[in-house]
Amino acid sequence: MNIKQLKQEARQRLAPAGKLPAKLTFISVGVSLAAAIISGLLGEIVSGYQGGDGLSGMGMASLLQTLEQCVDLAVQLSSVFWTVGLTAAIFALIRAEQADKSTLFTGFRRFGPFLRLFLLKALIVMALAIVMYMPAMLIFSMTPWAMNLETAVLTNPEILDSPEAMEALLGQMVPMLVIYGVLVLVAVLAVMYRLRFAEMFLISGWNKALPAMLASSGMTKGMVKDLIRLDLSFWWFHLGSILLLGICYLDMILELCGVSLGLPSQVSYWLCYLLYALGHLALEVYARPQVTGADAVLFNRLSVIEV
């Protein structure tokens, strides 16, 4: 697979659309970020509400908390469907088809198939997390950390009765958690690369999630390394995303390092989050059409080969 040629073809196919890909990306990502900000502000208001006196006041506070949790869940779920709509819009432009603001609602219009796809992917991730636990424990048991932990418990059994000592022992389990996290990450990435084009099959008109996943798995057989190379060619985009996440949680990171911004905690949180939101919006508007466009071109090529 010639990655340079693939990316060049994506740019050429998007060129006739002018600024439309960036405009649609701005709308899709902007709406998701705005909804997340509104949900966060609602959470601030609800958390600060103490309720009135008596059972009625407690009931109102509980009702507001439930409402806020429902809104937060709806916002998180809707952001996924906004992403589907943006993918559908870029996919249409790559195919020289019409795309406009209404295309961004593709995920909502076909809510059922995409919801089933996301649920199946979530179940796969959960299953992999369960399956990887025993291998992680086995690998950890063969490391010096496990031997030190076993020696500490066998030579001093009463240590289990001390909360402070138990906390120290749990700290020695950190290597095991790292091993477990790495194994789960590798397994999830390996599977998700095989399912990379499932959404595009649904966007193309398929109506069932499981056949789309199987079709994607068959299409990407033997291509995982090429897909990794394609992602690495957009290293600047992924690096920017990681750095922006660092900005989003900068207040927490600085706090762990013993550094203070000299601002109230809530002000620090919102300052970091708004900086992240602006940076994320700018990065997505610039890069998302290129990244998704390259995937769409590759999907088209592989579809022709499959036929």
Side-chain angles (χ1 to χ4, degrees):
M1 181 174 66
N2 190 322
I3 294 177
K4 184 177 180 180
Q5 186 182 59
L6 184 74
K7 294 165 70 173
Q8 183 178 2
E9 182 179 345
R11 288 193 295 268
Q12 290 174 348
R13 288 179 175 270
L14 290 174
K19 295 183 179 179
L20 183 59
K23 180 181 178 181
L24 294 177
T25 304
F26 180 84
I27 294 172
S28 176
V29 178
V31 168
S32 296
L33 288 173
I37 291 172
I38 292 172
S39 176
L41 291 174
L42 179 62
E44 293 285 345
I45 295 172
V46 170
S47 62
Y49 178 73
Q50 302 297 324
D53 297 330
L55 294 176
S56 61
M58 294 174 60
M60 179 58 70
S62 177
L63 178 62
L64 290 175
Q65 290 177 359
T66 302
L67 177 62
E68 186 270 330
Q69 292 172 358
C70 291
V71 170
D72 184 59
L73 178 62
V75 167
Q76 294 182 32
L77 187 61
S78 66
S79 67
V80 177
F81 290 93
W82 277 112
T83 302
V84 168
L86 179 58
T87 302
I90 296 174
F91 186 70
L93 293 174
I94 288 292
R95 288 190 163 185
E97 299 171 353
Q98 184 179 5
D100 51 28
K101 295 178 183 178
S102 64
T103 312
L104 298 177
F105 293 93
T106 300
F108 296 99
R109 284 196 296 266
R110 302 186 59 212
F111 183 83
F114 284 106
L115 178 62
R116 289 191 291 272
L117 175 62
F118 300 142
L119 290 177
L120 285 173
K121 285 186 176 181
L123 287 174
I124 289 174
V125 172
M126 292 172 60
L128 290 174
I130 294 172
V131 169
M132 288 296 108
Y133 179 75
M134 290 305 296
M137 284 294 294
L138 179 61
I139 295 173
F140 176 70
S141 67
M142 295 185 290
T143 64
W145 298 302
M147 296 176 185
N148 294 337
L149 183 63
E150 183 180 0
T151 301
V153 174
L154 291 177
T155 57
N156 193 14
E158 61 273 11
I159 199 174
L160 299 177
D161 299 326
S162 171
E164 294 79 7
M166 276 298 296
E167 185 176 348
L169 287 176
L170 290 176
Q172 295 185 35
M173 291 292 291
V174 171
M176 186 272 168
L177 296 177
V178 172
I179 294 171
Y180 174 66
V182 170
L183 289 180
V184 171
L185 179 62
V186 171
V188 168
L189 286 177
V191 173
M192 289 302 131
Y193 269 111
R194 296 295 300 275
L195 302 179
R196 187 181 184 112
F197 296 121
E199 290 180 17
M200 289 192 178
F201 276 107
L202 293 182
I203 290 172
S204 299
W206 291 40
N207 291 317
K208 294 185 178 180
L210 184 57
M213 294 170 68
L214 294 175
S216 176
S217 179
M219 177 181 281
T220 55
K221 184 177 181 180
M223 290 201 59
V224 172
K225 289 183 179 180
D226 289 328
L227 292 173
I228 293 175
R229 286 176 50 234
L230 176 59
D231 284 343
L232 290 177
S233 71
F234 289 109
W235 62 268
W236 50 270
F237 169 69
H238 301 295
L239 178 61
S241 299
I242 293 172
L243 293 176
L244 285 170
L245 281 177
I247 292 175
C248 183
Y249 297 103
L250 182 61
D251 58 325
M252 298 175 58
I253 295 172
L254 291 177
E255 185 178 350
L256 291 173
C257 296
V259 179
S260 175
L261 291 175
L263 298 170
S265 59
Q266 291 303 103
V267 175
S268 298
Y269 166 79
W270 281 106
L271 177 62
C272 293
Y273 186 81
L274 291 176
L275 288 174
Y276 156 78
L278 291 173
H280 178 69
L281 180 60
L283 181 63
E284 287 287 317
V285 168
Y286 176 74
R288 180 54 58 187
Q290 302 177 50
V291 176
T292 304
D295 273 359
V297 170
L298 180 58
F299 176 81
N300 286 339
R301 289 184 179 181
L302 295 176
S303 297
V304 172
I305 295 175
E306 289 290 320
V307 173

